[in-house]
Amino acid sequence: MKLASLKPAISSVLSQASLDTSTKMTRVCEVLREQVPYYDWVGFYFANESARTLHLKAFAGIPTDHTVIPFGKGICGQVAESNANFVVPDVKAQDNYIACSITVKSEIVIPLFKDGKNIGQIDIDSNTIDPFSSEDERFLEWVNQQVAEIL
Ligand code: SME
């Protein structure tokens, strides 16, 4: 499937005046999880700069215990500090990784910038090994730009 074909559905969710921000973000997670076969858990974390922690604000998939993640810890915490995309083809190869489910084999985390500042991230877990390509990175960067517009 072409990920770009999902752009109209994402734009539609984000432009619905009747939905609050939290609901829009949850719907975006649901659209991504339902439409992309290898997206098994999709969530948005946002930073508390003074506490240096990430907080889960919206997700689709199995509930996780990891709703608060310190900067520097796990893939998510590393992206909070690096401001860079982090694609993990095989989570077993990572030392600094927080396991949410034993079924997860790979992960992608893309920082979300608002006015040039890294304020959070989209985190996607996959039960498939090595499924992510540059197409996922470009598409998820676009998703984050759209979400930043409503924050
Ligand atoms: N695996 C992540 C933690 C978040 S769960 O995937 C939902 C990490 O290592 O940061």
Side-chain angles (χ1 to χ4, degrees):
M1 77 176 297
K2 281 264 175 275
L3 293 171
S5 68
L6 299 176
K7 287 182 177 181
I10 301 291
S11 298
S12 166
V13 166
L14 294 174
S15 65
Q16 284 182 39
S18 60
L19 301 180
D20 64 18
T21 300
S22 169
T23 306
K24 287 177 183 173
M25 293 182 55
T26 301
R27 291 270 173 91
V28 167
C29 293
E30 289 168 350
V31 167
L32 293 174
R33 182 172 174 274
E34 283 161 15
Q35 298 299 322
V36 185
Y38 54 92
Y39 288 5
D40 292 295
W41 187 94
V42 180
F44 285 100
Y45 286 92
F46 284 91
N48 179 324
E49 288 294 334
S50 49
R52 293 182 55 77
T53 47
L54 290 163
H55 298 258
L56 185 62
K57 294 294 184 198
F59 73 96
I62 297 167
T64 176
D65 290 340
H66 303 288
T67 55
V68 181
I69 298 175
F71 281 21
K73 301 286 184 201
I75 309 303
C76 296
Q78 291 177 78
V79 169
E81 294 184 324
S82 71
N83 308 321
N85 297 350
F86 199 154
V87 180
V88 180
D90 177 1
V91 296
K92 285 208 189 86
Q94 294 293 320
D95 291 333
N96 189 357
Y97 167 71
I98 302 166
C100 281
S101 157
I102 53 161
T103 62
V104 174
K105 293 200 167 57
S106 56
E107 178 162 4
I108 186 169
V109 179
I110 307 289
L112 190 155
F113 297 96
K114 175 81 178 171
D115 301 327
K117 191 173 163 40
N118 177 1
I119 61 163
Q121 53 193 237
I122 189 167
D123 173 22
I124 299 180
D125 287 341
S126 178
N127 298 339
T128 303
I129 196 118
D130 195 11
F132 303 113
S133 70
S134 58
E135 185 189 353
D136 296 270
E137 291 189 72
R138 299 296 88 74
F139 172 62
L140 296 169
E141 287 164 356
W142 178 87
V143 170
N144 281 355
Q145 285 162 12
Q146 306 312 302
V147 171
E149 300 274 321
I150 65 157
L151 298 177

